[in-house]
Amino acid sequence: MPAVQGSIRSGEASARGLGARPESAQAIEDGWLLAKARGGEVEAFEVLVGRHRDRIYRISLRMLGSREDAEDVTQDVVVQMWTGLAAFSGSSSFVTYLHRLVVNRCLNRIRHARTTVTLPDTGDPQHPRSAGVGERVQDRAELASATRALEALSPEVRTVFVLCQLEGMTYRQAAAMCSVSEDVVRGRLARARAGLTAAMREWT
Amino acid sequence: MSDDPLLAGPTPGAGPAGLEDAAVGERRLPCGTESVDLLAQVCDGDSGRRTAHQQQCPYCRALLVDYAELWSPFADLAAEPVRAPLSIVDRALAYVREVAGDSRRPVLPLHDSTPTAGEVAGSADLTARVIMRCVRLVAQEVDGVRLALSHVEVAAPTRNVTVDVTVAVDYGQDLYALAARVRARVADTVRSLIGPGAVTVSVHIDDVFPARPDAATA
């Protein structure tokens, strides 16, 4: 059997205190991949995208309500991430930067491209349910109603709802992302909740 | 008074008046509870955690049940798994590779195209990208390795493969032993992919991460 040749080299550990900072494991790993990607390693970029692609698509889908639009935005964001790597200062976490990128793309699309509301395709084969046909139809109808109600919110209020309610962000994180105060985020979330509940009451 | 600019008047570029503007709906129940507080409780997923008052109060109980029913589609929406279509992401990444000048990878023939008795004529090959991905995945399976990247050079005529593996590892490891394990696993994997040939594996330990919080308790 041929011998395995090779070498072992050790790089320098980064300056962060090992075990001293409560930075999340994901943020640390993202930071490493990001540094490699900024150094031109496409594979690192691919891994980074692979870790966040569902998040990008999910936020786009909830913001836009249309699978086609969400796919377009997802592609745009991936390309923009690559071309904008140098511009990312690293002052915020990569996830925060990514959220901002996705939300801004969606808001641009809503403001400039959309004049009609696209009804959601509720027959998604990716999400089979085990319930009976009647329950499935009802579930889909309810999800479709929820998606329609979401689309009826103003873009800014919808953004806060998607970030806080669906993505689980804190008020502070959403406030930083939307460049508004935490009180404004709290207010918009309350209005979103009230509006959505009112819409569901109307439709049921 | 709210400092939300949306409430101060029309915002340039903003969409039409939102659904939420028409939804006042706030009211005080006869027991003194604000309905908006009960709605927040439901939306936060706490409708089952009722206070002593809520357990006794018929107004609060009824409204909590009502809100929970109205809110369930949004709870379902939040819980629904959403996966990005891989083809969409792959197309974008293919574009990125092209822009980065990384779109072409050397191809390694897997066997001769001349068939022996009983074999179907044809050929099979794999690109260095396949080896790279397999190397990355197998390196990340080595205990103590958090992330791995790889670079693969293939000399097609000699079937010699040179692999550079860059890894970030957990703090507290014997780095030499770890690197040896990575080299062995990677070499085995490459051989399983391309058959016998000289395999050179270089491991570059690029960073050390703090141990994951869950690692200590696992």
Coordinates of all heavy atoms in Angstrom, one line a residue, chain A residues 2 4-12 14 16 18-19 28-29 32 36 41 43 46-47 53-54 57 62 75 82 111 127 152-154 156-157 165 181 184 188 191 193 195 197 199-201, chain B residues 3-4 6-7 13 19-20 23 39 43-44 66 70 73-74 77 80-84 86 88 91 96-97 136 146 149-150 171 191 197 199-210:
Chain A
P2 N 0.6 2.2 -0.9 CA 1.4 3.4 -0.9 C 1.4 4.1 0.4 O 0.4 4.2 1.1 CB 0.7 4.2 -2.0 CG -0.2 3.4 -2.7 CD -0.6 2.3 -1.8
V4 N 1.4 7.2 3.0 CA 0.8 8.6 3.0 C 1.9 9.5 3.4 O 2.5 9.4 4.5 CB -0.4 8.6 4.0 CG1 -0.9 10.0 4.1 CG2 -1.4 7.6 3.7
Q5 N 2.1 10.5 2.6 CA 3.1 11.5 2.9 C 2.3 12.8 3.4 O 1.2 12.9 3.1 CB 3.9 11.9 1.7 CG 4.7 10.7 1.1 CD 5.2 11.1 -0.3 OE1 4.8 12.0 -0.9 NE2 6.2 10.2 -0.7
G6 N 3.0 13.7 3.9 CA 2.4 14.9 4.3 C 3.0 15.6 5.4 O 4.1 15.2 5.9
S7 N 2.4 16.6 5.9 CA 3.0 17.4 7.0 C 1.9 17.9 7.9 O 0.7 17.9 7.5 CB 3.8 18.6 6.4 OG 2.9 19.5 5.7
I8 N 2.3 18.4 9.0 CA 1.3 19.0 9.9 C 1.8 20.4 10.2 O 3.0 20.6 10.6 CB 1.2 18.2 11.2 CG1 0.7 16.8 10.9 CG2 0.3 18.9 12.2 CD1 0.8 15.9 12.1
R9 N 1.0 21.4 10.1 CA 1.4 22.7 10.4 C 0.3 23.3 11.4 O -0.9 23.0 11.2 CB 1.5 23.6 9.2 CG 2.6 23.3 8.3 CD 2.7 24.2 7.1 NE 1.6 23.9 6.2 CZ 0.9 24.8 5.6 NH1 1.1 26.1 5.7 NH2 -0.1 24.5 4.8
S10 N 0.7 24.1 12.3 CA -0.2 24.8 13.2 C -0.2 26.2 12.9 O 0.8 26.9 12.9 CB 0.2 24.5 14.6 OG -0.4 23.3 15.1
G11 N -1.4 26.8 12.7 CA -1.6 28.2 12.6 C -1.7 28.8 13.9 O -1.7 28.2 14.9
E12 N -1.8 30.2 14.0 CA -1.9 30.8 15.2 C -3.4 30.9 15.6 O -4.2 31.2 14.7 CB -1.4 32.3 15.1 CG 0.1 32.3 15.1 CD 0.6 33.8 15.1 OE1 -0.2 34.7 15.5 OE2 1.7 34.0 14.7
S14 N -6.7 32.5 16.9 CA -7.2 33.9 16.9 C -7.1 34.5 18.3 O -7.0 33.8 19.3 CB -8.6 33.9 16.3 OG -9.4 33.1 17.0
R16 N -9.1 35.8 20.3 CA -10.2 35.8 21.3 C -9.7 34.9 22.5 O -9.0 33.9 22.3 CB -11.5 35.2 20.7 CG -11.3 33.8 20.2 CD -12.6 33.3 19.6 NE -12.3 32.0 18.9 CZ -12.0 32.0 17.7 NH1 -12.0 33.1 16.9 NH2 -11.7 30.9 17.1
L18 N -9.9 32.0 24.8 CA -10.6 30.7 24.6 C -11.4 30.4 25.8 O -11.0 30.3 27.0 CB -9.5 29.6 24.5 CG -8.7 29.7 23.2 CD1 -7.5 28.8 23.2 CD2 -9.6 29.3 22.0
G19 N -12.7 30.2 25.6 CA -13.6 29.9 26.6 C -14.0 31.1 27.5 O -14.8 31.0 28.4
I28 N -18.8 31.9 16.0 CA -17.3 31.7 15.9 C -17.0 30.9 14.6 O -16.1 31.3 13.9 CB -16.8 30.9 17.1 CG1 -16.9 31.8 18.4 CG2 -15.4 30.4 16.9 CD1 -16.6 31.0 19.6
E29 N -17.8 29.9 14.3 CA -17.5 29.1 13.1 C -17.8 29.9 11.9 O -17.1 29.9 10.9 CB -18.4 27.9 13.1 CG -18.0 26.9 14.2 CD -18.9 25.7 14.4 OE1 -19.9 25.6 13.7 OE2 -18.7 25.0 15.4
W32 N -14.9 32.2 11.2 CA -13.8 31.5 10.6 C -14.0 31.3 9.1 O -13.1 31.6 8.3 CB -13.5 30.2 11.3 CG -12.3 29.5 10.9 CD1 -11.0 29.8 11.3 CD2 -12.2 28.3 10.0 NE1 -10.1 28.9 10.7 CE2 -10.8 28.0 9.9 CE3 -13.1 27.6 9.3 CZ2 -10.4 26.9 9.1 CZ3 -12.6 26.5 8.5 CH2 -11.3 26.2 8.5
K36 N -12.0 33.0 5.8 CA -11.5 32.2 4.7 C -12.1 32.7 3.3 O -11.4 32.8 2.3 CB -11.8 30.8 4.9 CG -11.1 30.2 6.1 CD -9.6 30.1 5.9 CE -8.8 29.7 7.1 NZ -7.4 30.0 7.0
E41 N -11.4 31.9 -0.7 CA -11.7 30.5 -0.7 C -13.1 30.3 -1.0 O -14.0 30.5 -0.1 CB -11.3 29.9 0.6 CG -9.7 29.7 0.8 CD -9.3 28.8 1.9 OE1 -10.0 27.8 2.1 OE2 -8.4 29.1 2.6
E43 N -14.7 27.5 -1.4 CA -15.2 26.4 -0.7 C -15.8 26.9 0.7 O -16.8 26.5 1.1 CB -14.2 25.3 -0.5 CG -14.8 24.1 0.1 CD -13.7 23.1 0.6 OE1 -12.5 23.4 0.7 OE2 -14.1 21.9 0.9
E46 N -19.0 28.5 0.1 CA -20.0 27.5 -0.1 C -20.5 26.9 1.2 O -21.7 26.7 1.4 CB -19.5 26.4 -1.0 CG -19.3 26.8 -2.5 CD -18.8 25.7 -3.3 OE1 -18.7 24.6 -2.9 OE2 -18.5 26.0 -4.5
V47 N -19.6 26.6 2.1 CA -20.0 26.0 3.4 C -20.8 27.1 4.2 O -21.8 26.7 4.8 CB -18.7 25.6 4.2 CG1 -19.1 25.1 5.6 CG2 -18.0 24.5 3.4
R53 N -28.5 28.9 4.1 CA -29.4 29.0 2.9 C -30.9 28.9 3.3 O -31.7 29.6 2.7 CB -29.0 27.9 1.8 CG -29.2 26.5 2.3 CD -28.9 25.5 1.3 NE -29.0 24.2 1.8 CZ -28.1 23.2 1.7 NH1 -27.0 23.4 1.0 NH2 -28.3 22.0 2.2
D54 N -31.2 28.0 4.2 CA -32.6 27.8 4.6 C -33.1 29.1 5.3 O -34.3 29.5 5.1 CB -32.8 26.6 5.6 CG -32.6 25.3 4.8 OD1 -32.7 25.3 3.6 OD2 -32.3 24.3 5.5
Y57 N -33.8 31.7 2.6 CA -35.0 31.4 1.8 C -36.3 31.6 2.7 O -37.3 32.1 2.3 CB -34.9 30.0 1.3 CG -36.2 29.6 0.5 CD1 -36.4 30.1 -0.7 CD2 -37.0 28.6 1.0 CE1 -37.5 29.7 -1.5 CE2 -38.1 28.2 0.3 CZ -38.4 28.8 -1.0 OH -39.5 28.4 -1.7
R62 N -41.3 34.3 3.9 CA -42.3 34.9 4.8 C -42.5 36.4 4.5 O -43.6 36.9 4.7 CB -41.8 34.8 6.3 CG -41.7 33.3 6.8 CD -42.9 32.5 6.5 NE -42.8 31.2 7.0 CZ -43.4 30.1 6.4 NH1 -44.0 30.2 5.3 NH2 -43.3 28.9 7.0
Q75 N -31.2 33.8 -4.5 CA -30.1 33.8 -5.4 C -29.4 35.1 -5.4 O -28.1 35.2 -5.4 CB -30.6 33.5 -6.9 CG -31.0 32.1 -7.1 CD -31.2 31.7 -8.5 OE1 -31.7 32.6 -9.3 NE2 -30.8 30.6 -8.9
W82 N -21.3 37.3 -1.8 CA -19.9 37.1 -2.3 C -19.3 38.4 -2.8 O -18.2 38.7 -2.4 CB -20.0 36.1 -3.5 CG -18.6 36.0 -4.2 CD1 -18.2 36.5 -5.4 CD2 -17.5 35.2 -3.7 NE1 -16.9 36.2 -5.6 CE2 -16.5 35.4 -4.6 CE3 -17.3 34.5 -2.5 CZ2 -15.2 34.8 -4.4 CZ3 -16.0 33.9 -2.3 CH2 -15.0 34.1 -3.3
R111 N -41.3 47.2 -2.4 CA -41.6 48.6 -2.7 C -41.6 48.9 -4.2 O -42.3 49.7 -4.7 CB -40.6 49.5 -2.0 CG -40.8 49.6 -0.5 CD -39.6 50.2 0.2 NE -39.8 50.3 1.6 CZ -38.8 50.3 2.5 NH1 -37.6 50.3 2.1 NH2 -39.1 50.3 3.8
H127 N -43.4 19.3 2.5 CA -43.9 19.3 3.9 C -45.1 18.4 4.0 O -46.2 18.9 4.2 CB -44.2 20.7 4.3 CG -43.1 21.7 4.1 ND1 -41.9 21.5 4.5 CD2 -43.1 22.8 3.3 CE1 -41.1 22.5 4.1 NE2 -41.8 23.3 3.4
A152 N -50.8 41.3 4.0 CA -51.5 42.6 4.1 C -50.9 43.6 5.1 O -51.3 44.7 5.2 CB -53.0 42.2 4.5
L153 N -49.9 43.1 5.9 CA -49.3 44.0 6.8 C -48.4 44.9 6.0 O -47.9 44.6 4.9 CB -48.4 43.2 7.8 CG -49.1 42.3 8.8 CD1 -48.1 41.6 9.6 CD2 -50.0 43.1 9.7
S154 N -48.2 46.1 6.5 CA -47.2 47.0 5.8 C -45.8 46.4 5.9 O -45.5 45.6 6.8 CB -47.2 48.4 6.5 OG -46.7 48.3 7.8
E156 N -42.9 47.3 6.8 CA -42.1 47.6 8.0 C -42.6 46.7 9.2 O -41.8 46.2 10.0 CB -42.1 49.1 8.4 CG -41.4 49.9 7.4 CD -42.2 50.3 6.1 OE1 -43.4 49.8 6.1 OE2 -41.7 51.0 5.2
V157 N -43.9 46.7 9.3 CA -44.5 45.9 10.4 C -44.3 44.4 10.1 O -44.0 43.6 11.0 CB -46.0 46.3 10.5 CG1 -46.7 45.3 11.5 CG2 -46.2 47.7 11.0
Q165 N -41.2 37.3 15.6 CA -42.2 36.3 15.9 C -41.7 35.0 15.2 O -41.8 33.9 15.8 CB -43.6 36.7 15.4 CG -44.6 35.7 15.8 CD -45.1 35.9 17.3 OE1 -45.3 37.0 17.7 NE2 -45.1 34.8 18.0
S181 N -35.9 52.2 17.3 CA -35.7 51.9 18.7 C -36.4 50.6 19.1 O -37.3 50.1 18.4 CB -36.3 53.1 19.6 OG -37.7 53.1 19.5
V184 N -40.1 51.0 19.3 CA -40.8 51.0 18.0 C -41.0 49.5 17.6 O -42.1 49.2 17.1 CB -40.0 51.8 16.9 CG1 -40.5 51.5 15.5 CG2 -40.0 53.3 17.2
R188 N -44.6 47.8 16.8 CA -44.9 47.2 15.5 C -45.3 45.8 15.7 O -46.2 45.3 15.0 CB -43.7 47.4 14.6 CG -43.5 48.8 14.1 CD -42.3 48.9 13.1 NE -42.1 50.3 12.7 CZ -41.2 50.7 11.9 NH1 -40.3 49.8 11.4 NH2 -41.0 52.0 11.6
R191 N -48.8 45.7 17.0 CA -49.7 46.0 15.9 C -49.9 44.8 14.9 O -50.9 44.5 14.4 CB -49.3 47.3 15.2 CG -49.6 48.5 16.0 CD -48.7 49.7 15.6 NE -48.9 50.0 14.2 CZ -47.9 50.7 13.5 NH1 -46.8 51.1 14.1 NH2 -48.2 51.0 12.2
R193 N -49.5 41.7 15.6 CA -50.2 40.6 16.3 C -51.7 41.0 16.3 O -52.6 40.1 16.0 CB -49.7 40.4 17.7 CG -48.4 39.8 17.8 CD -47.8 39.8 19.2 NE -46.7 38.9 19.3 CZ -46.0 38.8 20.4 NH1 -46.2 39.6 21.5 NH2 -45.0 38.0 20.5
G195 N -53.3 43.0 14.3 CA -53.8 43.0 12.9 C -54.0 41.6 12.4 O -55.1 41.3 11.7
T197 N -54.5 38.9 14.1 CA -55.6 38.2 14.8 C -57.0 38.7 14.3 O -57.9 37.9 14.1 CB -55.5 38.5 16.4 OG1 -54.2 38.3 16.8 CG2 -56.4 37.6 17.2
A199 N -57.5 39.8 11.3 CA -57.8 39.2 10.0 C -58.3 37.8 10.1 O -59.2 37.4 9.4 CB -56.4 39.3 9.2
M200 N -57.7 37.1 11.0 CA -58.1 35.7 11.1 C -59.5 35.6 11.7 O -60.3 34.7 11.3 CB -57.2 34.9 12.1 CG -55.7 34.8 11.5 SD -55.6 34.1 9.9 CE -56.0 32.4 10.1
R201 N -59.9 36.5 12.5 CA -61.3 36.5 13.0 C -62.3 36.8 11.9 O -63.3 36.2 11.8 CB -61.4 37.6 14.1 CG -62.7 37.5 14.9 CD -62.9 38.6 15.9 NE -61.9 38.6 17.0 CZ -61.8 37.7 18.0 NH1 -62.7 36.8 18.1 NH2 -60.9 37.9 18.9
Chain B
D3 N -42.8 56.7 19.1 CA -41.8 57.4 18.2 C -41.6 56.6 16.9 O -40.6 56.8 16.2 CB -40.4 57.5 19.0 CG -39.9 56.1 19.4 OD1 -40.7 55.2 19.3 OD2 -38.7 56.0 19.7
D4 N -42.6 55.8 16.6 CA -42.5 55.1 15.3 C -42.8 56.0 14.2 O -43.9 56.6 14.1 CB -43.6 53.9 15.3 CG -43.4 53.0 14.2 OD1 -42.7 53.4 13.2 OD2 -44.0 51.9 14.2
L6 N -43.6 55.4 11.3 CA -44.8 54.9 10.5 C -46.1 55.6 11.0 O -47.0 55.7 10.2 CB -44.9 53.4 10.6 CG -44.0 52.5 9.8 CD1 -44.3 51.1 10.0 CD2 -44.0 52.9 8.4
L7 N -46.1 55.9 12.3 CA -47.4 56.4 12.8 C -47.4 58.0 12.7 O -48.5 58.6 13.0 CB -47.5 56.1 14.3 CG -47.5 54.6 14.6 CD1 -47.6 54.3 16.1 CD2 -48.7 53.9 13.9
G13 N -42.1 56.0 -0.1 CA -41.7 54.6 -0.5 C -42.4 53.5 0.2 O -42.2 52.3 -0.1
L19 N -52.7 46.4 7.2 CA -53.9 45.7 7.9 C -53.9 46.2 9.4 O -55.0 46.3 9.9 CB -53.7 44.2 7.8 CG -54.7 43.3 8.5 CD1 -56.1 43.5 7.8 CD2 -54.2 41.9 8.4
E20 N -52.7 46.3 9.9 CA -52.7 46.6 11.4 C -53.3 47.9 11.7 O -53.7 48.1 12.9 CB -51.2 46.5 11.9 CG -50.3 47.6 11.5 CD -49.8 47.5 10.1 OE1 -50.1 46.5 9.4 OE2 -49.0 48.4 9.6
A23 N -56.7 47.5 12.7 CA -57.0 46.6 13.8 C -56.8 47.3 15.1 O -55.7 47.3 15.6 CB -56.1 45.4 13.7
L39 N -53.4 38.8 24.4 CA -52.9 38.4 23.1 C -51.4 38.2 23.1 O -50.9 37.2 22.5 CB -53.3 39.5 22.1 CG -52.8 39.3 20.7 CD1 -53.4 38.0 20.1 CD2 -53.2 40.5 19.8
C43 N -49.4 34.9 21.9 CA -48.4 35.0 20.8 C -47.0 34.5 21.3 O -46.2 34.0 20.5 CB -48.3 36.4 20.2 SG -49.8 36.9 19.5
D44 N -46.7 34.8 22.6 CA -45.4 34.3 23.1 C -45.4 32.9 23.5 O -44.5 32.3 24.0 CB -45.1 35.2 24.4 CG -44.7 36.6 24.0 OD1 -44.3 36.8 22.9 OD2 -44.9 37.5 24.9
D66 N -60.0 31.9 22.8 CA -60.3 32.5 21.5 C -59.0 32.9 20.8 O -58.8 32.6 19.6 CB -61.2 33.8 21.8 CG -61.6 34.5 20.5 OD1 -62.0 33.7 19.5 OD2 -61.5 35.7 20.4
L70 N -57.3 31.6 17.2 CA -57.0 32.5 16.1 C -55.6 32.5 15.7 O -55.2 32.7 14.6 CB -57.5 33.9 16.4 CG -59.0 34.2 16.5 CD1 -59.3 35.6 17.1 CD2 -59.6 34.1 15.2
P73 N -52.8 29.3 13.3 CA -52.1 29.3 12.0 C -50.8 29.9 12.0 O -49.9 29.5 11.3 CB -53.1 30.0 11.1 CG -54.4 29.9 11.8 CD -54.1 30.0 13.3
F74 N -50.6 31.0 12.8 CA -49.3 31.7 12.8 C -48.3 30.8 13.6 O -47.1 30.8 13.3 CB -49.4 33.1 13.4 CG -50.3 33.9 12.6 CD1 -51.6 34.2 13.0 CD2 -49.9 34.4 11.3 CE1 -52.5 34.9 12.2 CE2 -50.8 35.2 10.5 CZ -52.1 35.4 10.9
L77 N -47.2 28.4 11.2 CA -46.4 29.0 10.2 C -44.9 29.1 10.7 O -44.0 28.8 10.0 CB -46.9 30.4 9.8 CG -46.4 31.0 8.5 CD1 -46.9 30.2 7.3 CD2 -46.9 32.4 8.4
E80 N -43.3 25.6 10.8 CA -43.2 24.9 9.6 C -41.8 24.9 9.1 O -41.2 25.9 8.9 CB -44.1 25.6 8.5 CG -44.2 24.8 7.2 CD -44.9 25.5 6.1 OE1 -44.8 26.7 6.0 OE2 -45.7 24.9 5.4
P81 N -41.2 23.7 8.8 CA -39.9 23.7 8.3 C -39.8 24.2 6.9 O -40.7 23.8 6.1 CB -39.5 22.2 8.4 CG -40.8 21.4 8.4 CD -41.8 22.3 9.0
V82 N -38.9 25.0 6.6 CA -38.8 25.6 5.2 C -37.3 25.3 4.8 O -36.4 25.7 5.4 CB -39.0 27.1 5.2 CG1 -38.8 27.6 3.8 CG2 -40.5 27.4 5.7
R83 N -37.2 24.6 3.7 CA -35.9 24.3 3.1 C -35.7 25.1 1.8 O -36.6 25.1 0.9 CB -35.8 22.8 2.8 CG -36.1 22.0 4.0 CD -34.8 21.3 4.6 NE -35.1 20.5 5.7 CZ -35.1 21.0 7.0 NH1 -34.8 22.3 7.2 NH2 -35.3 20.2 8.0
A84 N -34.6 25.6 1.6 CA -34.3 26.3 0.4 C -34.1 25.3 -0.7 O -33.4 24.3 -0.5 CB -33.0 27.1 0.5
L86 N -32.4 23.3 -3.3 CA -30.9 23.2 -3.6 C -30.6 23.7 -4.9 O -29.5 24.3 -5.1 CB -30.5 21.8 -3.4 CG -30.5 21.3 -1.9 CD1 -30.0 19.8 -1.9 CD2 -29.6 22.2 -1.1
I88 N -31.7 26.1 -6.7 CA -31.6 27.6 -6.7 C -30.2 28.0 -6.1 O -29.5 28.8 -6.7 CB -32.7 28.2 -5.8 CG1 -34.1 27.8 -6.4 CG2 -32.6 29.7 -5.7 CD1 -34.3 28.4 -7.8
R91 N -27.3 27.1 -8.3 CA -27.1 28.0 -9.5 C -26.4 29.2 -9.1 O -25.5 29.7 -9.8 CB -28.5 28.3 -10.1 CG -28.9 27.4 -11.2 CD -29.8 28.0 -12.2 NE -31.1 28.4 -11.6 CZ -32.1 27.5 -11.5 NH1 -32.0 26.3 -11.9 NH2 -33.3 27.9 -11.0
V96 N -21.1 32.2 -8.7 CA -20.0 32.7 -7.8 C -18.7 32.1 -8.2 O -17.6 32.7 -8.3 CB -20.3 32.5 -6.3 CG1 -19.1 32.7 -5.4 CG2 -21.5 33.4 -5.9
R97 N -18.7 30.7 -8.4 CA -17.4 30.0 -8.8 C -16.9 30.6 -10.1 O -15.7 30.7 -10.2 CB -17.7 28.5 -8.8 CG -17.8 27.8 -7.5 CD -17.7 26.3 -7.7 NE -18.8 25.8 -8.3 CZ -19.9 25.3 -7.7 NH1 -20.0 25.4 -6.4 NH2 -20.9 24.8 -8.4
R136 N -13.6 17.1 3.0 CA -14.1 18.0 4.0 C -15.0 17.3 5.0 O -14.9 17.5 6.2 CB -14.8 19.2 3.3 CG -15.6 20.0 4.3 CD -15.9 21.4 3.7 NE -16.4 21.4 2.4 CZ -17.7 21.4 2.0 NH1 -18.6 21.2 3.0 NH2 -18.1 21.5 0.8
R146 N -13.8 20.9 14.2 CA -15.0 21.6 14.1 C -15.4 22.0 12.6 O -16.5 21.8 12.2 CB -14.9 22.9 14.9 CG -15.0 22.7 16.4 CD -16.4 22.6 16.9 NE -17.0 23.9 17.0 CZ -16.8 24.7 18.0 NH1 -16.0 24.4 19.0 NH2 -17.4 25.9 18.0
L149 N -11.7 22.6 5.6 CA -11.7 23.0 4.2 C -10.6 22.2 3.5 O -9.6 21.8 4.2 CB -11.5 24.5 4.0 CG -12.6 25.4 4.7 CD1 -12.1 26.9 4.6 CD2 -13.9 25.2 3.9
S150 N -10.7 22.1 2.2 CA -9.7 21.3 1.6 C -9.3 21.8 0.2 O -10.1 22.5 -0.4 CB -10.1 19.8 1.4 OG -11.2 19.8 0.5
Y171 N -10.5 23.4 21.4 CA -9.4 23.6 22.3 C -9.3 22.4 23.2 O -10.3 21.7 23.5 CB -9.7 24.9 23.2 CG -8.7 25.2 24.2 CD1 -7.4 25.5 23.9 CD2 -9.1 25.0 25.6 CE1 -6.5 25.8 25.0 CE2 -8.2 25.3 26.6 CZ -6.9 25.7 26.3 OH -6.0 26.0 27.3
R191 N -8.4 7.1 -1.2 CA -8.1 5.8 -1.8 C -9.4 5.1 -2.2 O -9.5 4.5 -3.2 CB -7.3 5.0 -0.9 CG -5.8 5.4 -0.8 CD -4.9 4.3 -0.3 NE -3.7 4.8 0.1 CZ -3.3 5.1 1.4 NH1 -4.2 5.0 2.4 NH2 -2.1 5.6 1.7
G197 N -2.9 4.6 -5.4 CA -2.2 5.7 -5.9 C -1.5 6.4 -4.8 O -1.9 6.2 -3.6
V199 N -1.0 9.1 -2.2 CA -1.8 10.2 -1.6 C -1.0 10.9 -0.6 O -0.4 10.4 0.3 CB -3.0 9.6 -0.9 CG1 -3.9 10.7 -0.2 CG2 -3.9 8.7 -1.9
T200 N -0.9 12.2 -0.8 CA -0.2 13.1 0.1 C -1.2 14.0 0.8 O -2.0 14.7 0.1 CB 0.8 14.0 -0.6 OG1 1.7 13.1 -1.4 CG2 1.6 14.8 0.3
V201 N -1.2 13.9 2.1 CA -2.2 14.7 2.9 C -1.4 15.6 3.8 O -0.6 15.2 4.7 CB -3.1 13.8 3.7 CG1 -4.1 14.7 4.5 CG2 -3.9 12.8 2.8
S202 N -1.7 16.9 3.7 CA -1.1 17.9 4.6 C -2.2 18.5 5.4 O -3.2 19.0 4.8 CB -0.3 19.0 3.8 OG 0.7 18.4 3.1
V203 N -2.0 18.5 6.7 CA -3.0 19.1 7.6 C -2.5 20.4 8.2 O -1.4 20.5 8.7 CB -3.3 18.1 8.7 CG1 -4.3 18.7 9.7 CG2 -3.8 16.8 8.2
H204 N -3.3 21.4 8.0 CA -3.0 22.7 8.5 C -4.0 23.1 9.6 O -5.2 23.3 9.3 CB -3.1 23.8 7.4 CG -2.8 25.2 7.9 ND1 -1.7 25.5 8.7 CD2 -3.5 26.3 7.6 CE1 -1.8 26.8 8.9 NE2 -2.8 27.3 8.3
I205 N -3.6 23.1 10.8 CA -4.5 23.5 11.9 C -4.5 25.0 12.0 O -3.5 25.6 12.4 CB -4.0 22.9 13.2 CG1 -4.0 21.3 13.1 CG2 -5.0 23.3 14.4 CD1 -3.5 20.6 14.3
D206 N -5.6 25.6 11.6 CA -5.6 27.0 11.3 C -6.1 27.8 12.5 O -5.8 29.0 12.7 CB -6.5 27.3 10.1 CG -6.6 28.7 9.7 OD1 -5.6 29.2 9.1 OD2 -7.5 29.4 10.1
D207 N -7.0 27.2 13.3 CA -7.6 27.9 14.5 C -8.0 27.0 15.5 O -8.2 25.8 15.3 CB -8.8 28.8 14.0 CG -9.0 30.0 14.8 OD1 -8.4 30.1 16.0 OD2 -9.7 30.9 14.4
V208 N -8.1 27.5 16.7 CA -8.6 26.7 17.9 C -9.8 27.4 18.4 O -9.7 28.6 18.8 CB -7.5 26.5 18.9 CG1 -8.0 25.7 20.1 CG2 -6.3 25.9 18.4
F209 N -10.9 26.7 18.5 CA -12.2 27.3 19.0 C -12.4 26.9 20.5 O -12.0 25.8 20.9 CB -13.4 26.8 18.2 CG -13.4 27.2 16.8 CD1 -14.2 26.6 15.9 CD2 -12.6 28.3 16.4 CE1 -14.3 27.1 14.6 CE2 -12.7 28.7 15.1 CZ -13.5 28.1 14.2
P210 N -13.0 27.7 21.3 CA -13.4 27.3 22.6 C -14.3 26.1 22.5 O -15.1 26.0 21.5 CB -14.2 28.5 23.1 CG -13.9 29.6 22.2 CD -13.5 29.1 20.9

